[in-house]
Amino acid sequence: MIYIFIAISLLISIVLSALIIPRILVVAFRKKLFDIPDERKVHSGIIPRLGGISFVPTILFSLAFTTGLRYLIGYEIAIESLHFIVPEFYFLVCGLTLLYLSGIKDDLVGLRYRSKFVIQIIAASLIPLSGLWINNLYGLFGIEELTPWLGIPFTILLTVFIVNAINLIDGIDGLASGLSSISLLTLGSLYYDQWIYAMLAFSTLGVLLPFFYYNVFGNVDRCKKIFMGDTGSLTLGYILAFLAISYTNNNPERAPYSEGAIVIAFSTLIVPMFDVIRVILVRARNHKGLFDADKNHIHHKFLDMGFSSRKAMICLLMMALSFSIANMALITYINNNVLLFTDIIVWIGMNLWFDRIRDKNQ
């Protein structure tokens, strides 16, 4: 029965998203709300970037409707789980609302990065405020349990980092939504016995499927193409951070102890997270501002190697999927630290190989 309700939440999100996005396109073109091309962007033509406006309302409607339906039928949340599920999801909605509103302002009229950063910190702080924070590293770097004084700041920092990683990887059609979809599908599957978290994952996945179609296959000349904008990428990153942190939280009432929880959860986000770290290190080496915009992300590297935007997107999605599958398959045989170190070595090796190909082409 659980899987039926998860499927219902997925279907509701798909239908609502498919209905809302065309109407956003109509309003955007009537009001001339476009993403204007410049030297840093890879697209041409006038394309609305308000697709993310559909994300949060659709996800919340799907999640609330399906949960209410479960209660009417008699499948309620276990009483012993309510004391941590209720505050987690209430504060999740609060954080999503903050990022949603700031994203809309940024997409419409612009928002200074300092203001955006402060809002992100406030939203990220709401996750540990709900009682959810990374309290165990499961032996990673030789560390087991974390005290609140370490775990809570680490959780806030990691949440802000993931939110920005998804925002910065949104550089070519289908990349941010595709990477997020792979992560949501993986995390949703990991939550097979915790239906409320699985429903959140699949409700979010459902809203991305119609958007992916319009973003990747939409025709610019027919006014059918749309971007998610900051409204979409910021809220997506926040949901992904929430799900990953929730999975790593060592709470016997939530799930049994899993030694590889932290590596498995965050392996679904390796491509955007590792790419941001690489870009920051390159900017620091070149004495550039850490927040200065450039064309040094991995999707730009693929474009410089001669790939089309679509082929670059497909390659990066396959890379992300490979990391997730490999880590989940190997975690029972390989130590956390060895597996993480292997991921880093593979990532560095691939980037060095990509650099050689790019340099030859140029």
Side-chain angles (χ1 to χ4, degrees), residues 157-168:
L157 179 64
L158 188 61
T159 302
V160 173
F161 178 70
I162 293 173
V163 167
N164 282 281
I166 299 298
N167 181 241
L168 293 172

Side-chain angles (χ1 to χ4, degrees), residues 128 132-136 146-157:
L132 179 63
W133 48 280
I134 297 176
N135 57 0
N136 199 313
L146 290 177
T147 65
W149 298 105
L150 291 175
I152 290 176
F154 178 59
T155 301
I156 295 171
L157 179 64

